[in-house]
Amino acid sequence: MIRSFPMPQAFVSPDRIRSLFTEAMSQMYRAEVPQYGTLIELVADVNAGCLENDPNLRDRLAQAGELERIDVERHGAIRLGTADELFTIRRLFAVMGMQPVGYYDLSVAGVPVHSTSFRPIDEAALNVNPFRVFTSLLRLELIEDEGLRGEAEAILAKRRIYTPRAVTLIERHEQNGGLTDAEATEFVAEALETFRWHGEATVSADTYKRLHDAHRLIADVVSFKGPHINHLTPRTLDIDAVQARMPERGITPKAVIEGPPRRHCDILLRQTSFKALEETIAFSDDDGAIQGTHTARFGEIEQRGVALTAKGRELYDQLLASVRGEVQVGAGGAKAGAYDDELAARFKALPDSWGELRNEGLAFFRYAATPAGIAAAAGSRLSSDPEALIAKGYLAFTPIVYEDFLPVSAAGIFQSNLGTDQQQNYATHSNRDAFEAALGATVQDELALYAERQAASLDSALAALGLAGLPLKTVA
């Protein structure tokens, strides 16, 4: 007798799970923070206007495969309290095809955390949905009061921020190599619970005050059942327009846009936000009879530009530090104007054309063979010098979008929405080894990832021109 066995069910792609989770997260946050929905509508209006008024921008985004991702693009941020929480979040994001990229020490800017970004790294996956989550781990060692530090450790040790079912599905993904459609749907629902807002504090009003007095972010991490998502960020094509129009929608923006100034050729990342909400919470005293308020969750907008090389980042960091060292960033409009003007003046030292940025090795670019180049290659062998191919119009280059974050900008957003723009440094230094030990993995080098994408695009373009395997002149 021939026995038949059921065929195994196909696994859902990590890209699909990530897209389902992004949509579910966005819907949840829109319900929790109505101003986020208003922000999404404003960004959509501004983006539509940009694409209508700038056909060249539309064409460039389309050629780079970025046009379709603009409307779905989001990044979020969470703050974790323990090494175990960080270890498990890495496994949770792996189900969605997201890996830890970059190490960010925010303690140097007065924020007692260090962080990484979980995101997809494959170009095709990024173009499907480039969802990123800036994930921070509280540095309890920076709490000076030993008694309070021990109390915070004990509070965090008791909580469980993942549902048992979410952990089971993570383990199933690791054992089987994927999740079925039904499992993926269930995973998204269970994982979402980790990021949900809870208006009930797990500490007393007195404990909350002592944590808050040590640092507002410490109170935010330690006092609640889980690491509620504290913002979701859509990508805009004109952040200055969004900043100017937020008051028209009843939204008050922060004083300055973090990151580089407005430029013809966008670089790295610019960010702004609206002030964090003051939300009512119930403390654990007498079954929640005592109420207070907590400020943590806000709305943020970002504009992304080209990824800079190590040489470009060094120049960027020098220019930004020179401005921040001389012009104080405060909440007043006059100070914000002075800062913006000085920022624009200093950044004239960084070239503002794609050609100069590429020629000077300051930014990463994607290469592609042009129709003219492919036609020419069909008739004769072309020069193997990429510069000559570019000059003849046979090889084109477009900027590679920056997919990561900037520590000074992240700290600026955090400080502004914690109620202060003060840049008080902790007397400490980076501790990447401790972060990676807690993570259970090494964070990936974002510059190496961009370099690999640039090199792969050049190899593919040259192969299309019949030049595969030939010795080539180095391209910046």
Side-chain angles (χ1 to χ4, degrees):
M1 182 178 66
I2 300 176
R3 299 180 62 186
S4 62
F5 296 91
M7 294 292 290
Q9 289 182 270
F11 292 139
V12 179
S13 75
D15 293 344
R16 174 61 178 161
I17 300 175
R18 185 172 65 257
S19 293
L20 290 171
F21 184 80
T22 305
E23 177 60 25
M25 177 85 83
S26 187
Q27 292 298 328
M28 181 186 76
Y29 199 68
R30 186 188 290 258
E32 293 180 349
V33 183
Q35 276 194 325
Y36 167 71
T38 304
L39 196 64
I40 292 294
E41 293 168 1
L42 173 57
V43 168
D45 290 345
V46 169
N47 287 352
C50 289
L51 293 173
E52 182 179 352
N53 297 326
D54 191 344
N56 290 331
L57 173 62
R58 174 183 282 276
D59 291 344
R60 177 165 63 80
L61 292 173
Q63 291 172 9
E66 294 176 38
L67 190 59
E68 298 302 321
R69 66 180 249 187
I70 295 295
D71 289 339
V72 301
E73 188 157 357
R74 300 285 186 277
H75 94 245
I78 57 171
R79 304 158 183 166
L80 304 176
T82 69
D84 285 344
E85 290 175 357
L86 182 66
F87 183 83
T88 302
I89 206 74
R90 173 182 58 80
R91 299 166 61 210
L92 183 148
F93 284 133
V95 177
M96 297 182 255
M98 299 161 69
Q99 300 184 36
V101 179
Y103 172 78
Y104 306 91
D105 176 25
L106 274 63
S107 69
V108 296
V111 183
V113 301
H114 46 185
S115 316
T116 191
S117 167
F118 287 94
R119 67 169 178 87
I121 61 172
D122 177 77
E123 186 166 12
L126 285 164
N127 285 338
V128 170
N129 188 325
F131 184 53
R132 320 167 185 87
V133 180
F134 191 80
T135 304
S136 301
L137 177 64
L138 179 63
R139 299 185 66 177
L140 287 169
E141 74 272 16
L142 299 182
I143 301 177
E144 295 181 358
D145 184 325
E146 291 186 12
L148 185 63
R149 186 191 316 146
E151 191 173 353
E153 289 175 346
I155 293 168
L156 290 170
K158 294 178 182 178
R159 76 175 186 179
R160 297 293 180 267
I161 68 173
Y162 307 102
T163 69
R165 185 57 178 165
V167 174
T168 296
L169 289 167
I170 291 170
E171 293 171 345
R172 185 166 299 176
H173 178 272
E174 293 170 342
Q175 294 165 0
N176 297 343
L179 296 178
T180 65
D181 185 71
E183 290 169 342
T185 299
E186 189 180 8
F187 168 80
V188 167
E190 294 291 331
L192 201 64
E193 292 304 309
T194 297
F195 301 85
R196 191 179 299 281
W197 167 251
H198 299 279
E200 303 80 27
T202 57
V203 300
S204 68
D206 176 69
T207 300
Y208 177 87
K209 183 180 185 304
R210 288 185 288 114
L211 293 167
H212 185 278
D213 289 346
H215 197 288
R216 289 191 178 197
L217 186 141
I218 295 173
D220 181 57
V221 174
V222 177
S223 303
F224 296 91
K225 180 181 179 180
H228 39 259
I229 191 82
N230 59 65
H231 66 268
L232 276 181
T233 304
R235 177 182 172 187
T236 183
L237 300 173
D238 189 344
I239 199 167
D240 298 275
V242 174
Q243 176 92 341
R245 291 171 57 179
M246 276 200 280
E248 299 173 6
R249 307 287 180 106
I251 303 173
T252 302
K254 73 185 296 293
V256 299
I257 295 172
E258 300 286 347
R262 184 183 184 94
R263 293 163 47 89
H264 174 67
C265 297
D266 295 325
I267 60 171
L268 296 175
L269 175 66
R270 302 179 73 203
Q271 297 169 276
T272 190
S273 68
F274 62 71
K275 290 292 185 180
L277 306 175
E278 187 173 275
E279 300 178 272
T280 300
I281 59 172
F283 294 107
S284 62
D285 313 64
D286 300 323
D287 297 323
I290 297 178
Q291 291 195 334
T293 59
H294 179 70
T295 303
R297 301 193 301 160
F298 55 95
E300 185 180 271
I301 315 97
E302 66 182 20
Q303 180 172 343
R304 292 188 172 270
V306 67
L308 298 185
T309 62
K311 179 182 177 182
R313 277 301 300 269
E314 182 178 5
L315 178 56
Y316 168 82
D317 290 339
Q318 289 174 355
L319 295 173
L320 184 66
S322 71
V323 181
R324 296 180 71 88
E326 295 183 16
V327 182
Q328 294 299 314
V329 184
K335 290 182 180 178
Y339 176 80
D340 290 341
D341 291 344
E342 189 62 27
L343 192 70
R346 297 288 177 93
F347 267 80
K348 289 181 180 178
L350 201 157
D352 197 14
S353 77
W354 300 128
E356 289 179 283
L357 287 169
R358 192 192 71 86
N359 291 338
E360 296 185 27
L362 297 172
F364 291 105
F365 291 88
R366 178 187 297 101
Y367 293 89
T370 67
I374 294 173
S380 62
R381 180 164 296 279
L382 305 180
S383 166
S384 63
D385 179 1
E387 301 303 323
L389 295 170
I390 290 171
K392 287 182 174 291
Y394 296 163
L395 187 64
F397 59 90
T398 54
I400 294 178
V401 68
Y402 185 63
E403 306 286 356
D404 298 289
F405 295 92
L406 301 170
V408 173
S409 294
I413 294 285
F414 277 20
Q415 290 286 14
S416 176
N417 285 289
L418 291 169
T420 176
D421 287 312
Q422 183 181 5
Q423 299 296 319
Q424 179 180 355
N425 293 355
Y426 282 95
T428 186
H429 54 80
S430 296
N431 197 342
R432 178 170 178 161
D433 289 344
F435 185 87
E436 291 184 331
L439 185 69
T442 301
V443 299
Q444 299 211 38
D445 180 346
E446 63 271 27
L447 293 181
L449 292 175
Y450 295 122
E452 289 170 6
R453 287 175 61 187
Q454 177 173 270
S457 73
L458 181 60
D459 288 345
S460 177
L462 293 175
L465 295 176
L467 300 172
L470 295 180
L472 298 167
K473 176 182 175 182
T474 301
V475 174

